[in-house]
Every structure is written in structure tokens, then in C-alpha cells.
Amino acid sequence: RIALGDAVRSLGEVGKKVGLSSTLPPTLRRLEFAGRIERRLEDDRLDHERYRWQRATRPIDEAWDAKPARLRTLAARRFVEATGIAAVDAFATWSGFGKRDARAALDDAQLEPISIDGVEGDFRAVPELLAEARSIDASLRHRPSDPIFLPFEDHLLAAFGGPAFWVDPRHHALPTPTWGSGPSTLGTARRAWIRPILIGDRVRACWDWHPTERRIVVAPFDVDSSAERTHLRAAADRFGDALATELGHGRIHSIDGEKTARRRLERLAALAPLI
């Protein structure tokens, strides 16, 4: 703005009322949508909201000139490529398309219909990824797996409409806070205010960062054996050390504070005794 000088016009009090103090923000957006500039994180870190604008380094793809139906098809394909398996309802919710348009887009995207044992719904998968999954040696599928510490609003849960899909039904009644609304349960929450731990093919515990003790705290609601708990605690310690040394914090978002973190810990303890 300093370099452009008088070329940037103030929009005065009227502009302030609608959140635009000058002509610069809409100009930047138009340049961005035209593919001429792109916004990048200031230092390539993901734990803040400081950005810089630069000349675009990636070409605009075919989507920009496509008709609405084609755009929906491209969105459907990319959504399922990211999720691996997707339900029609989940894609409709994520995209904002009506269910008829969402289903048509998934049909046009050359995705393979599949069924999941014990789960109702219309699911689709990318044929190439499905073929790769089927080729995995069966012995590998049943090996004990290390805990995977997922972030808040991880795509794995968000794309399936909440944690219920990944949590054993025996635990669906457990209470959990939700983002932007009141208390709920693991079976009904769409946006659970938790950070889950995936063990094998199930979410069996949740974690958070203790701001003063600077370590990972775990609520294992579906981990029964002492050996599993010991293994989980050791994995949490390794991950906590990495957070402390590499990132320096365990915040959920850039303005997450100690008071909010302690409130999450209290709610996490309602899910299961903390270890």
C-alpha cells in the first residue's frame, strides 16, 4: 500500500461499515482469482495467521473455465481423493451442494460405489486408491499400530460428519464439548471440540496439551489393557517432546490461550480419566 500511494483509494466511513477501508483488499482478491498472485504464510508455518502476497507460481487449472456441473464433478473427485472413502451425505454437507447435485457429481466423477459392513449409507471411493488398498497384504492390516495424534477438526473426522463413524458404538454416549454449540456426545457431535487419537481403525482416545506442564494429556476411553496404556503414554511423551521443541506450544489455533486450554482439559476429563 505504501508503494502504491494515491492509487489506493480510501472508502471512508461507508467502507468501514462493510469492512472495507480501501480499494486494496478487493483488488488483491481479483488478482488472486485471476491467478496472478497468491497468498502464502509469512514464514511457511501453520500456527499463525500472518500472510504475504506474491506472484503466483502455480498455473490456474481447468476448473476456472468450467461450467457449474463440471465444477461440482471436479470438487467431488478431489474430495474423495482426500478422504479415501466418502459418503454422499458427507460430500453434500462439506460442499454445500444439494443432495441431488452432490450425488450427480459423484456419479460423474467416475468413483466406485462401495458398502461398509455394519454402516448404512451410500459410499464412494477412488478406484485407483481402492485397488491399492485391496493389494495390501492381509497380514499387514492386523498388525498392532502406533497411536496417531490427530489435530482438532482433522479432515478424517470432519469429512464423515463427526467422530461417530470412527468410534465404537459402545462409546457413543460419552459426553464431548462441541465447537460453536453446547455439550453433545461422541455419537451425535458433528464438530467435537476434541483432538482424537486414532489407534488402528478406531478413535479410541483423545489428547490435549497441558499449557503449564508442557506435556500431552490423554483421555483413553477405549484402551483397556495396561500394556496398551503404557504404549499410548510413551507415544504421547514422544509427541509432546516434539511439540515442545519443534513448535513450542500445543495451541489449537493462533489465539488459543491458557484459560481456554484448561477448560478443554476439564471437559476432556469428563470423557475419560486422564493419563
Side-chain angles (χ1 to χ4, degrees):
R1 181 166 186 171
I2 294 173
L4 289 171
D6 293 340
V8 178
R9 182 167 55 89
S10 172
L11 298 178
E13 292 301 319
V14 174
K16 290 181 180 179
K17 288 181 179 179
V18 296
L20 287 174
S21 61
S22 76
T23 55
L24 183 59
T27 301
L28 291 172
R29 288 301 185 190
R30 292 190 67 175
L31 290 170
E32 179 187 23
F33 294 154
R36 297 175 61 184
I37 63 174
E38 62 187 8
R39 188 173 66 166
R40 297 290 299 273
L41 289 163
E42 193 174 77
D43 53 8
D44 295 323
R45 286 178 63 127
L46 299 174
D47 59 331
H48 62 69
E49 298 180 11
R50 298 187 299 275
Y51 302 96
R52 67 175 184 271
W53 292 98
Q54 65 180 37
R55 290 184 181 274
T57 57
R58 293 168 292 183
I60 296 297
D61 62 22
E62 60 172 315
W64 291 95
D65 296 321
K67 296 184 181 299
R70 176 61 179 160
L71 287 172
R72 289 193 291 268
T73 299
L74 289 171
R77 178 79 184 192
R78 294 187 181 184
F79 178 79
V80 183
E81 284 176 347
T83 59
I85 295 173
V88 173
D89 289 351
F91 173 61
T93 299
W94 175 83
S95 65
F97 302 148
K99 286 189 179 181
R100 180 182 299 177
D101 285 340
R103 191 182 305 278
L106 289 166
D107 289 340
D108 292 341
Q110 299 179 333
L111 300 166
E112 185 172 335
I114 64 169
S115 60
I116 301 176
D117 291 344
V119 180
E120 295 183 0
D122 184 358
F123 294 90
R124 311 295 173 88
V126 177
E128 299 88 341
L129 295 178
L130 200 58
E132 184 179 346
R134 287 169 174 160
S135 69
I136 297 175
D137 189 287
S139 63
L140 296 178
R141 301 177 192 172
H142 301 290
R143 289 174 55 187
S145 57
D146 286 330
I148 299 174
F149 294 77
L150 300 177
F152 168 65
E153 282 286 87
D154 185 80
H155 197 56
L156 184 70
L157 272 65
F160 282 85
F165 185 88
W166 299 100
V167 174
D168 190 294
R170 294 180 297 124
H171 306 292
H172 279 187
L174 288 175
T176 181
T178 55
W179 183 259
S181 59
S184 186
T185 66
L186 290 176
T188 58
R190 298 190 64 84
R191 304 187 68 187
W193 200 21
I194 57 172
R195 288 192 266 194
I197 301 175
L198 190 71
I199 304 176
D201 61 355
R202 293 283 190 184
V203 169
R204 299 172 57 195
C206 296
W207 69 277
D208 215 308
W209 175 257
H210 199 297
T212 53
E213 297 181 7
R214 297 181 60 78
R215 68 184 184 94
I216 297 294
V217 177
V218 175
F221 60 83
D222 192 13
V223 181
D224 298 323
S225 74
S226 58
E228 281 187 309
R229 285 173 172 260
T230 299
H231 183 62
L232 177 58
R233 184 63 256 170
D237 289 338
R238 291 193 300 272
F239 180 42
D241 289 343
L243 274 184
T245 56
E246 300 294 332
L247 193 58
H249 64 80
R251 297 193 298 266
I252 274 185
H253 48 75
S254 60
I255 59 172
D256 195 13
E258 182 176 328
K259 183 178 179 180
T260 306
R262 289 189 176 280
R263 189 162 65 247
R264 282 200 308 274
L265 290 176
E266 292 173 0
R267 294 175 177 177
L268 195 65
L271 187 65
L274 302 181
I275 62 170

